[in-house]
Amino acid sequence: MKRYFNTEGCCKPGIHYMVRLDDRLNQIKRLYVDRGKYFVINRGRQYGKTTTLRLLTEYLRDDYAVIAMDFQLMSTANFASEQTFVVKFAAYLEKLLSGSEAEDMDAEAVGSLVSLQKVQNPSLDVLFREMSRLCRTAKKPVVLMIDEVDSAANNQVFVDFLAQLRGYYIDREQSPAFHSVILAGVYDIKNLKLKIRPKAEHQYNSPWNIAAEFNVKMDFSATQIEGMLQEYEVDCHTGMDTAAMAEQIYQYTSGYPYLVSAICKILDEQLPEDESFTGNGDTCRKIWSGEGIGEAVKILLKRKLPLFDSMVRQLDQYPELRDMMEQIMYEGKELSFSPDIKPINLGIMFGFLREKDGRVVIANRVFEMRLLNLFITEEAIKSNSFQCSEYDKPRFIQSGRLNMKRVLEKFVEHFHEIYGENDERFIEKYGRKFFLLYLRPIINGTGNYYMEAQTRDAGRTDLVVDYRGEQFIVEMKIWRGNEYNERGEDQIVGYLDYFHQKKGYMLSFNFNKKKEIGVKTIAVGEKEIVEAVV
């Protein structure tokens, strides 16, 4: 069977194109399992946790007896009471230990443990005594692995189970227990009580803070992505530049595993059916190019996916997290990374944010584009900016090309009609949002835009607009005087060089009473810059 890119469930090396995880597995074994660590792999949704655990299970089998469980296979009813949980847990172990895993276990100890299904009102302490016996008599050190552990974390029975697990792990020199414990889920173990306590009682789950810090990188590097593409290229002979493709995919995804696979899957399966990519010329080379990636991202952003649905749910549940992310994107607010700040901690845990050079940034460009679409659409319902550009849209597209200079000219005009009387603080906070609102209906359905995180600060933000494969670089900035303005011109020239563009655009929000409102074109070296001042 021909291999393919997978976005549904666990990836398997013989069936799917995937990043090779040998180095990751070796690092987990060497630094955590071999040292008998109790640790939690907590990452955002669809971050490759299950794939990693399944491969790790096989990787460890020569040296360890692995009990690999998935708490998604236990229903809510299984946690109704301590007795019910013990019975169902024992039944689950009976199923697991009936296969090859049984070879490393003492048959009598296994039989005694699974017989708890027939005991009247069995308790957790009895269950753990039997598991201690299982560990004591096993031929190899026993590793307990539980995937989707936080799917059960909204009830007290599970927390009691963790308490027993902790106690036996700490005391394992006196009472034999699991050599290593691996839990995987979105929620870090110290945050589990966020899910079971009333909001007024939210506290961190300190009684279980024995987990070793897990520092193994789960995202993919550009080099790892290239290795996967090279395997695809050997099979499919597209003629792509694998290094360049990997770097561009990384720029959009920052190596988020699901997003990497999703883009590749669209390139492999959907774009070959798109007439715009199957015309004249080398179809494969056209698809596996920057143009193809841009189209794949556009398709991805329009899909209703569990990953994006989860993001929206979490932002609704934690409004302080949403507010912080809007400040980062719209206002260019710089926040120092501190895991002790609740919204930052939540954003990192869910995979929406990441730390970069001591600052908090949106995790990747795809997330930022999706969030911008969400926030802008919500604002558009009540925005005069959106309504104005919706009416003006036909003026901005000529022969299928976007006229960005005209967009800026009309924005300057409408901005002063609608917002000109607002004070400096108001404009500084919302000015960039207004331009995004104005631009959205003009390019909607055909183009995309994102704000470049590398250049964002409280004073300036570079906006990259992609319309039908043509890129427009727009620097949005707060005017701080002529010297600052000249530095801004030099900065955009450098950014134009990076994107191989000869023409750029600047949108300056100027609070000088003697300012000259309007749009003009200036030359900076060999570059042409269209500057709009409002």
Side-chain angles (χ1 to χ4, degrees):
M1 180 176 71
K2 183 180 181 296
R3 285 192 293 170
Y4 60 94
F5 294 102
N6 179 49
T7 57
E8 301 88 30
C10 184
C11 291
K12 301 177 182 178
I15 301 175
H16 306 125
Y17 292 110
M18 58 181 290
V19 167
R20 294 301 172 188
L21 302 181
D22 301 70
D23 290 344
R24 179 188 301 177
L25 301 178
N26 177 268
Q27 191 176 5
I28 294 173
K29 179 179 182 296
R30 179 169 44 85
L31 297 181
Y32 296 91
V33 179
D34 288 347
R35 296 179 180 183
K37 298 292 185 179
Y38 179 120
F39 62 101
V40 184
I41 302 176
N42 70 285
R43 294 292 187 273
R45 296 290 178 200
Q46 297 181 289
Y47 219 103
K49 299 183 294 295
T50 298
T51 295
T52 297
L53 288 185
R54 295 205 176 175
L55 293 175
L56 183 62
T57 298
E58 297 303 318
Y59 192 80
L60 296 175
R61 286 204 189 280
D62 287 346
D63 300 314
Y64 299 97
V66 182
I67 298 177
M69 310 183 77
D70 184 344
F71 268 17
Q72 282 193 129
L73 300 180
M74 296 185 70
S75 68
T76 302
N78 295 161
F79 294 86
S81 68
E82 182 174 324
Q83 292 72 32
T84 301
F85 174 78
V86 171
V87 169
K88 298 302 181 181
F89 192 91
Y92 193 168
L93 286 178
E94 180 181 24
K95 179 181 177 181
L96 289 176
L97 299 178
S98 63
S100 58
E101 291 83 355
E103 298 176 2
D104 298 320
M105 304 295 185
D106 178 75
E108 186 176 341
V110 171
S112 182
L113 195 159
V114 300
S115 69
L116 291 179
Q117 299 172 72
K118 300 177 182 179
V119 173
Q120 188 173 5
N121 297 324
S123 60
L124 279 171
D125 62 320
V126 172
L127 172 64
F128 273 89
R129 283 202 299 271
E130 293 296 343
M131 288 199 291
S132 177
R133 178 185 178 187
L134 185 75
C135 294
R136 176 171 54 84
T137 57
K139 299 174 184 178
K140 298 176 182 176
V142 182
V143 174
L144 176 65
M145 192 182 292
I146 305 178
D147 194 11
E148 299 292 348
V149 69
D150 53 349
S151 65
N154 59 349
N155 58 75
Q156 190 61 45
V157 171
F158 174 71
V159 175
D160 292 342
F161 169 80
L162 280 183
Q164 293 275 348
L165 183 61
R166 171 190 183 273
Y168 271 85
Y169 174 79
I170 290 176
D171 199 36
R172 64 191 186 279
E173 291 185 4
Q174 285 70 41
S175 300
F178 302 109
H179 170 79
S180 179
V181 176
I182 308 170
L183 308 179
V186 172
Y187 280 82
D188 191 349
I189 194 169
K190 70 180 180 180
N191 292 320
L192 289 178
K193 281 192 176 179
L194 290 175
K195 300 187 71 179
I196 66 172
R197 287 194 171 193
K199 288 185 179 179
E201 298 182 26
H202 278 176
Q203 297 178 11
Y204 292 108
N205 210 353
S206 56
W208 291 275
N209 265 354
I210 60 169
E213 185 175 0
F214 184 72
N215 293 317
V216 176
K217 286 178 65 65
M218 297 283 284
D219 52 325
F220 301 151
S221 67
T223 301
Q224 289 175 312
I225 298 171
E226 182 184 1
M228 176 180 66
L229 295 181
Q230 286 174 343
E231 291 187 13
Y232 178 85
E233 183 66 12
V234 168
D235 292 342
C236 300
H237 310 290
T238 68
M240 76 167 104
D241 182 336
T242 54
M245 286 293 292
E247 181 60 35
Q248 290 185 61
I249 291 172
Y250 181 82
Q251 289 300 320
Y252 276 104
T253 65
S254 296
Y256 198 109
Y258 174 83
L259 298 178
V260 171
S261 294
I263 289 174
C264 291
K265 188 177 182 69
I266 293 170
L267 292 169
D268 178 52
E269 298 179 10
Q270 188 164 344
L271 292 195
E273 307 300 323
D274 187 330
E275 291 183 0
S276 63
F277 285 90
T278 57
N280 297 327
D282 189 335
T283 298
C284 287
R285 190 180 292 273
K286 186 176 181 182
I287 290 173
W288 291 91
S289 67
E291 181 182 353
I293 292 175
E295 184 64 23
V297 170
K298 187 193 307 181
I299 292 170
L300 182 63
L301 290 171
K302 291 179 181 179
R303 289 181 173 171
K304 185 173 177 59
L305 300 171
L307 177 61
F308 296 148
D309 289 344
S310 175
M311 179 186 294
V312 174
R313 277 198 311 274
Q314 302 296 1
L315 293 181
D316 288 343
Q317 184 173 356
Y318 300 103
E320 66 272 37
L321 173 60
R322 178 192 177 108
D323 182 62
M324 185 182 70
M325 295 178 77
E326 287 199 50
Q327 290 179 43
I328 292 172
M329 288 195 293
Y330 287 139
E331 301 172 41
K333 191 167 185 177
E334 288 193 342
L335 297 174
S336 297
F337 173 73
S338 173
D340 298 322
I341 303 301
K342 181 182 174 183
I344 294 177
N345 181 32
L346 289 170
I348 297 290
M349 185 173 68
F350 293 137
F352 308 157
L353 300 173
R354 62 187 174 95
E355 182 270 335
K356 181 179 180 181
D357 300 328
R359 296 185 299 119
V360 180
V361 298
I362 307 300
N364 57 69
R365 191 180 293 172
V366 171
F367 280 2
E368 180 164 303
M369 295 167 79
R370 182 74 178 209
L371 288 168
L372 275 175
N373 287 341
L374 170 66
F375 297 155
I376 292 296
T377 300
E378 291 174 342
E379 292 279 352
I381 297 173
K382 55 186 178 183
S383 169
N384 290 324
S385 292
F386 189 94
Q387 295 166 3
C388 289
S389 62
E390 183 75 29
Y391 174 77
D392 288 335
K393 181 175 180 177
R395 308 181 188 185
F396 303 132
I397 310 300
Q398 300 171 327
S399 302
R401 297 184 64 190
L402 176 64
N403 188 326
M404 182 59 74
K405 181 178 181 181
R406 183 165 295 181
V407 172
L408 291 174
E409 290 171 343
K410 295 302 292 183
F411 176 73
V412 170
E413 178 183 322
H414 287 303
F415 185 87
H416 281 280
E417 289 176 0
I418 300 170
Y419 304 111
E421 300 302 318
N422 285 283
D423 60 26
E424 178 175 341
R425 184 176 179 183
F426 177 85
I427 299 301
E428 185 164 343
K429 185 173 183 180
Y430 296 109
R432 285 172 277 206
K433 180 189 291 187
F434 296 147
F435 181 65
L436 295 174
L437 277 166
Y438 190 80
L439 184 61
R440 171 68 187 277
I442 297 172
I443 66 171
N444 193 33
T446 305
N448 276 311
Y449 55 60
Y450 63 88
M451 291 189 285
E452 179 53 63
Q454 294 181 8
T455 63
R456 182 187 299 138
D457 58 35
R460 63 186 288 265
T461 300
D462 283 321
L463 179 73
V464 181
V465 181
D466 193 318
Y467 191 86
R468 294 187 181 276
E470 186 176 6
Q471 289 182 316
F472 303 85
I473 313 303
V474 184
E475 180 182 301
M476 300 183 291
K477 65 185 182 64
I478 306 299
W479 195 86
R480 305 292 191 196
N482 288 327
E483 182 179 349
Y484 179 86
N485 194 59
E486 290 172 0
R487 288 204 308 271
E489 292 171 356
D490 291 338
Q491 288 171 325
I492 193 173
V493 166
Y495 205 44
L496 290 173
D497 285 337
Y498 176 79
F499 274 90
H500 308 292
Q501 300 285 328
K502 294 183 178 180
K503 188 173 185 178
Y505 303 83
M506 293 179 68
L507 175 59
S508 300
F509 296 93
N510 190 328
F511 305 105
N512 189 325
K513 294 182 179 180
K514 297 181 180 181
K515 64 186 175 185
E516 183 179 341
I517 295 170
V519 178
K520 62 182 180 181
T521 301
I522 58 177
V524 180
E526 298 179 351
K527 306 295 184 184
E528 181 180 309
I529 299 176
V530 177
E531 181 174 12
V533 178
V534 296

